[in-house]
């Protein structure tokens, strides 16, 4: 699963119309707040204040309630995420099996630390606690897919593969080439 990267959301953004259509399609009550937040995050990639305010108004709930739900659940994010968000599991099993080395390799390959996004918007990096795949430790998720038995070499290879995938998409080759110097890692 990949997510669109977005920044600079304005009130006339067409994604608000898509979100409104979802709300009108049987999700217009406060009890659907979490479902609406999921849809909004799918559309925008994250839940900035503008989107939260829009949802609060549409569902007739206080903005503080929307913010409270967004900040309670780890799934929701207030910051933009890359097209390929990476979450490195730092649970006990993964940590013991070398997740710290895998995380360091991702940091080196991407030039970012956890909580950051690459300048080209392709990758964001996070750490998380156990994702329930301890038998595959160390694991990470990339764009929603689980990758297990990771090593520094496989982490480097995965970044190269995702960069190549992004470069092969129409309209992405120039942006990726500028951001990476033209060559996949």
């Amino acid at each position: 699963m990949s997510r669109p990267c977005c920044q600079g959301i304005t009130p006339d953004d067409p994604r608000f119309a898509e979100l409104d259509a979802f709300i009108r399609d049987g999700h217009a009550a406060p009890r659907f707040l979490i479902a609406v937040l999921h849809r909004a995050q799918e559309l925008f990639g994250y839940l900035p204040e503008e989107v939260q305010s829009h949802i609060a108004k549409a569902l007739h709930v206080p903005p503080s309630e929307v913010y409270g739900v967004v900040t309670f659940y780890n799934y929701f994010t207030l910051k933009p995420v890359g097209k390929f968000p990476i979450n490195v599991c730092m649970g006990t099993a993964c940590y013991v099996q070398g997740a710290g080395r895998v995380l360091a390799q991702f940091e080196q390959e991407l030039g970012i630390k956890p909580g950051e996004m690459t300048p080209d918007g392709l990758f964001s990096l996070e750490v998380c606690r156990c994702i329930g795949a301890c038998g595959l430790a160390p694991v990470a998720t990339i764009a929603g897919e689980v990758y297990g038995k990771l090593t520094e070499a496989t982490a480097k290879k995965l970044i190269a593969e995702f960069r190549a995938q992004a470069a092969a998409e129409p309209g992405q080759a120039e942006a990726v080439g500028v951001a990476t110097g033209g060559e996949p890692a």
Side-chain angles (χ1 to χ4, degrees), residues 25-83:
D25 189 26
H27 302 94
R31 70 177 186 269
F32 295 111
L33 175 58
I34 291 177
V36 171
L37 289 170
H38 277 280
R39 181 66 182 138
Q41 188 158 290
E42 286 174 13
L43 291 169
F44 294 93
Y46 70 113
L47 300 169
E49 185 177 340
E50 299 88 350
V51 173
Q52 292 178 52
S53 295
H54 186 88
I55 291 169
K57 187 176 178 181
L59 297 183
H60 306 287
V61 297
S64 60
E65 184 176 334
V66 175
Y67 180 78
V69 171
V70 169
T71 55
F72 181 80
Y73 293 103
N74 286 341
Y75 174 79
F76 297 123
T77 180
L78 297 169
K79 298 184 297 185
V81 295
K83 181 175 183 174

Side-chain angles (χ1 to χ4, degrees), residues 88-102 130-140 146-152 154:
V88 178
C89 180
M90 294 299 277
T92 303
C94 288
Y95 184 80
V96 169
Q97 293 295 322
R101 292 188 303 272
V102 172
C130 187
I131 63 170
C134 302
L136 299 174
V139 300
V146 176
Y147 295 87
K149 303 285 185 190
L150 291 174
T151 64
E152 293 97 321
T154 56

Side-chain angles (χ1 to χ4, degrees), residues 97-136:
Q97 293 295 322
R101 292 188 303 272
V102 172
L103 176 62
Q105 186 65 45
F106 279 127
E107 291 175 349
Q108 182 180 340
E109 289 299 313
L110 300 173
I112 59 174
K113 297 286 185 189
E116 297 177 347
M117 184 172 65
T118 56
D120 60 8
L122 284 180
F123 300 96
S124 54
L125 184 62
E126 295 287 343
V127 295
C128 61
R129 295 299 166 207
C130 187
I131 63 170
C134 302
L136 299 174

